Amino acid sequence: MELHFTLNGQPCSLSCRPGDNVQKLLFSRCRMHSVRNSDDGFGFAGSDAIRFNGRIVNASLLIAAQLEGAQVETAESLGRWNQLSLVQQAMVDIGIVQGGYNDPAAALILTDLLERNPNPDRAAIDDALSGLLSRDAGYQQFYQVVELARKRLAEPDFPSPPVQQYRNDLTHVGKDCPKVDAAKLVQAKPAFVEDRVPDDACILKMLRSPHPHAVITRIDASRAEALPGVVHVITHLNCPDIYYTPAGQSSPEPSPLDRRMFSQKLRHVGDRVAAVIAVNEEIALQALDLIEVEYQALKPVMSIDEAMAPDAPLVHDEPIVYVHGAPADLEQQNACAVKRGNEHLIINFPIGAKPHSNIAASVHGNIGDVEKGFAEADLILERTYESSQAQQCPVETHVCFSYMDGERLVVHASTQVPWHLRKLVSRVTGLRQNQVHVIKERIGGGFGSKQDILLDDVCAYATVVTGRPVYFRYTREEEFISNTSRHVAKVKVKIGAKRDGKLTAILMDFRANTGPYGNHALTVPCNGPALSLPLYPCENVHFEVTTYYSNICPTGAYQGYGAPKGNFALTMVMAEMAEQLGIDQLDMVEKNRVVEGQELKILAAIGEGKMPTTAPKAASCALDKILKQGRELIGWDAPKPAEGDWRIGRGVAIIMQKSGIPDIDQANCMVKLESDGTFIVHSGGADLGTGLDTVVTKLAAEVLCCPLSSVHVISGDTDHALFDKGAYASSGTCFSGNAARLAAEDLKKKILFHGAQMLDEAVEDVEIVAPGMVRGRKQSLSFAQIAHKAETGTGFGILVGTACYTTTEFAFPYGANFVELAVNVRSGEIRLDKFHALLDCGTPVNPSLALGQIYGATVRAIGHSLSEEIIYDARGIPVTRDLKRYGAPKIGDLPRDFRAFLVPSDDKVGPYGAKSISEIGVNGAAPAIAAAIHDACGVWLRRWHFTPEKILRGLGKLEEGVGQ
């Protein structure tokens, strides 16, 4: 049919089928890139918001026939190409634009709200944004956006609200500025992988296992291959016989190489069975139905306890191969291995793995004498705490687009680890690394999940074997069953303390469920004790970490990276000990917490594949100020009067994180002086929405005394930047930032040297000054003049600064979460009244972006604590397959009083004293909320997330098993 409608004020005609999806039509046919797909037509995420005949609706819920005669407005109608609209500018100024994937939709929704209601209250804002999933920014700053836009309606030049500034001795660092890509993102200009895909790209669709544990006994793809429009089908019979880990980590990989692109044995619902590459999606989906597969279903292993059982089925029963350090009994371990072709599992070096006992990795260590410490204790307490499986839920699903450029493979990826991705793709395709060009596009949310390389290997291989451009995008269901998620943990903690609350001994037995593959199986669980035990330094500590294979949907890297589970267990057992001793929880924390300058002895015994040679120190730590300020803000000592059935409680949790991994991580950078005196920075760092490119811009401008507009950053491009291990382990500011700072300083030395020669003065007599000048005793030169001289036929050559940053030193950010909540003792309902997050990230490089990171991380952590969980039925089949059933918080779920605070400290490791901020915010919500629940109603909840049913069971008002 031929449709006629108005699109953004212009007449539009479109030939299509009556039932075609409007989101797909507007995005692909009309090139309206603001109308994005986050949830496959469920209308939950709001990324596809349009104004349809004057009302905000989800485009994916409309069919083409409804467009006839309609008035359609998308976010592209806001502002102009080079000028932001009122709301868009307010979003940029407040700093809420992070990943940016559905921020254009947010701008359209808020524009519509203000046109209908120029003075909306909180309830009206909540109602307008109720259909938007803001997984990265956490909603809170939207209230500021509306307030600023509202004031500018009356007074166009109304200034942005002031944000606290830091480091008066610096020009850019510690001062607020817009994120460098914020305007581009909020206007929906092409930025993401899907924006680069041409119409002639083939579509890749994956046939996935319906069983949690099975072996393929027969597969026949001939009917699918014969279907017109099918280009190629990949199965375990014709894929590369190469073993790898999807974990994007530095070499040698500490994760077992236990994955083949396609395997005969299937280890989870959603595991790869076959990939179809076809000329369009419709044909690809038809072809999937034509593939004939017969399975031998096996008994699944779903929990840690099941994996530990003596007669447990083996998730990995294939032969084991060691690259280095094979155990003496390897031949005995392999005696009963099952032979399926050449399938095997590779371990690079000893990681405590015993795959034929379902153990993917294990480690243990201690300091002092734990038995002596327990003997000295006046009270000993032992508890076990458990977590559930949570999903990252980035609003942009996993996506990849690849094509051949002559003999070279080009991969457009939404990845946190472009260099590790290139290495893996090179291996599976057989191409050399200089034949593989990875371009990291803007990332619409990652939170660790895009550190794992989950679909790029198949997409790239499909391009190499077919020569065709290939586009592979996960559906939201695939995100739940095939994406990685947070490891499930069962943590037993035993502590001893004196009557005054002083700890004498800690024993932590951390057991993790890694699912079907061992990506991050050593490093994530190790972070459980590594980022909790140092918060409460004790002379006698023993820890054990054991990670088990199972048949749950995959796990991997997730923001916090093990710390939330370890911190939950240790904080809770401390709170329970405080109750037993009759000590206030906050006083118990103060009695035992880490202090600035303290040696963290336990960290000499815990590593991520490599242990520190010496125990690091808490070189900077603002916990004293944080806890004092938090106590006052929350009214810790104020009365808590009951309100009918509601009981009030307060809780606290202190938290820590790292700023990269010393002795393992590396970042490199190059800064180039251009002809007009401006700079291009080639950073290997991968900005995943956190604002790393902005940080790098500010650090380079600070060193070179130039305006921010004089610096442009090219990042995450393997052809045009230098190696960087990637955006994980909270390393961006410290590692990628320090590399940029050092490269700028290297260039600064060269500018000073040649500037001094041109001025005929000694180097020690010249200096760089704003706005980009070399000033001597008598004269000055602009950077442009120096650059011009460099490029002449008698010049000294273009000036470039380079640097590599590694370190043996740790930079630890610290913080605390304070919670006040109410529990309804009749219904079990939990109402978050106050949540105050106070964080020490050293010197905040860009304060408003740092606050936005805290809000986003905290809301995700609240979701993990109160509503989010991947659920399975009795057969091991995941029930949770869409956002609507998952339970991610939306704007109506925010605490009534939700505030974030930056409490600075001076750190010697990070650039200009900066430490990380984006990851630490997820570590403390669960224990702070659980402690507050107990304070309110006396119930200890030891398995999160926390539900009304669990509270009612704890109160004896609901039988065991009901509501579980």
Side-chain angles (χ1 to χ4, degrees), residues 350-614:
I351 56 173
K354 296 180 180 179
H356 296 164
S357 297
N358 281 331
I359 296 175
S362 63
V363 68
H364 65 273
N366 65 277
I367 58 171
D369 185 336
V370 174
E371 293 306 317
K372 176 175 175 290
F374 284 126
E376 294 172 351
D378 294 319
L379 183 63
I380 296 172
L381 204 60
E382 183 176 315
R383 296 286 187 268
T384 299
Y385 303 91
E386 298 182 64
S387 67
S388 55
Q389 191 175 9
Q391 232 280 326
Q392 294 92 334
C393 296
V395 288
E396 178 205 39
T397 62
H398 285 66
V399 59
C400 182
F401 167 57
S402 54
Y403 63 93
M404 298 303 298
D405 181 10
E407 299 300 312
R408 300 189 78 219
L409 171 68
V410 181
V411 181
H412 291 262
S414 179
T415 179
Q416 299 172 216
V417 287
W419 303 94
H420 298 326
L421 192 155
R422 184 182 70 167
K423 177 182 66 176
L424 191 153
V425 164
S426 174
R427 285 187 61 207
V428 299
T429 60
L431 297 174
R432 302 186 69 164
Q433 288 192 20
N434 69 342
Q435 293 178 279
V436 180
H437 178 195
V438 174
I439 302 169
K440 181 209 74 68
E441 301 290 0
R442 286 301 174 210
I443 304 174
F447 318 119
S449 70
K450 291 173 182 173
Q451 182 187 345
D452 289 295
I453 300 162
L454 304 176
L455 75 173
D456 315 82
D457 53 338
V458 186
C459 189
Y461 180 71
T463 287
V464 170
V465 297
T466 66
R468 303 285 289 271
V470 176
Y471 179 46
F472 186 12
R473 177 193 177 93
Y474 272 9
T475 64
R476 184 55 64 178
E477 180 179 14
E478 287 179 302
E479 286 289 304
F480 279 103
I481 65 174
S482 304
N483 181 22
T484 53
S485 55
R486 194 181 290 291
H487 283 70
V488 181
K490 186 174 185 179
V491 188
K492 182 174 72 175
V493 188
K494 180 180 177 182
I495 63 172
K498 292 290 190 181
R499 288 188 181 87
D500 66 355
K502 188 66 177 176
L503 292 175
T504 61
I506 305 175
L507 186 153
M508 179 178 284
D509 183 358
F510 193 104
R511 300 182 183 187
N513 184 342
T514 194
Y517 299 105
N519 41 308
H520 310 273
L522 176 70
T523 50
V524 163
C526 279
N527 262 358
L531 292 175
S532 59
L533 294 173
L535 284 166
Y536 300 101
C538 181
E539 292 299 316
N540 305 297
V541 181
H542 178 81
F543 69 90
E544 295 185 11
V545 173
T546 313
T547 307
Y548 294 91
Y549 283 117
S550 77
N551 298 114
I552 64 172
C553 292
T555 71
Y558 192 167
Q559 201 173 48
Y561 206 78
K565 281 95 67 177
N567 199 50
F568 176 70
L570 190 54
T571 302
M572 291 302 292
V573 78
M574 289 278 290
E576 294 199 46
M577 176 67 84
E579 183 194 41
Q580 296 277 336
L581 294 170
I583 298 173
D584 177 85
Q585 187 205 358
L586 186 50
D587 292 341
M588 184 78 174
V589 169
E590 286 281 23
K591 185 79 174 179
N592 292 282
R593 70 168 174 84
V594 63
V595 297
E596 189 165 280
Q598 191 163 8
E599 188 178 39
L600 307 177
K601 296 179 183 178
I602 188 62
L603 283 180
I606 310 176
E608 292 191 39
K610 183 177 182 181
M611 291 184 289
T613 53
T614 58

Side-chain angles (χ1 to χ4, degrees), residues 90 93-95 141 144-145 147-149 151-152 158-165 176 848:
D93 291 345
I94 293 299
Q141 289 170 307
Q144 293 176 271
V145 169
E147 179 64 12
L148 180 58
K151 289 180 177 177
R152 285 178 175 170
F158 193 88
S160 302
V163 177
Q164 185 175 349
Q165 308 289 295
D176 222 40
S848 66

Side-chain angles (χ1 to χ4, degrees), residues 290-354:
L290 296 176
I291 300 173
E292 300 173 15
V293 190
E294 294 177 6
Y295 304 95
Q296 177 192 353
L298 305 173
K299 182 181 178 181
V301 178
M302 300 302 292
S303 69
I304 292 170
D305 290 341
E306 289 178 12
M308 293 172 59
D311 59 345
L314 296 184
V315 178
H316 285 273
D317 54 5
E318 64 270 34
I320 306 162
V321 176
Y322 274 80
V323 177
H324 299 287
D329 67 342
L330 181 60
E331 186 175 344
Q332 182 181 346
Q333 289 186 42
N334 282 331
C336 297
V338 177
K339 305 290 174 55
R340 286 181 298 272
N342 189 41
E343 285 193 12
H344 58 278
L345 180 154
I346 302 171
I347 299 173
N348 279 323
F349 56 88
I351 56 173
K354 296 180 180 179

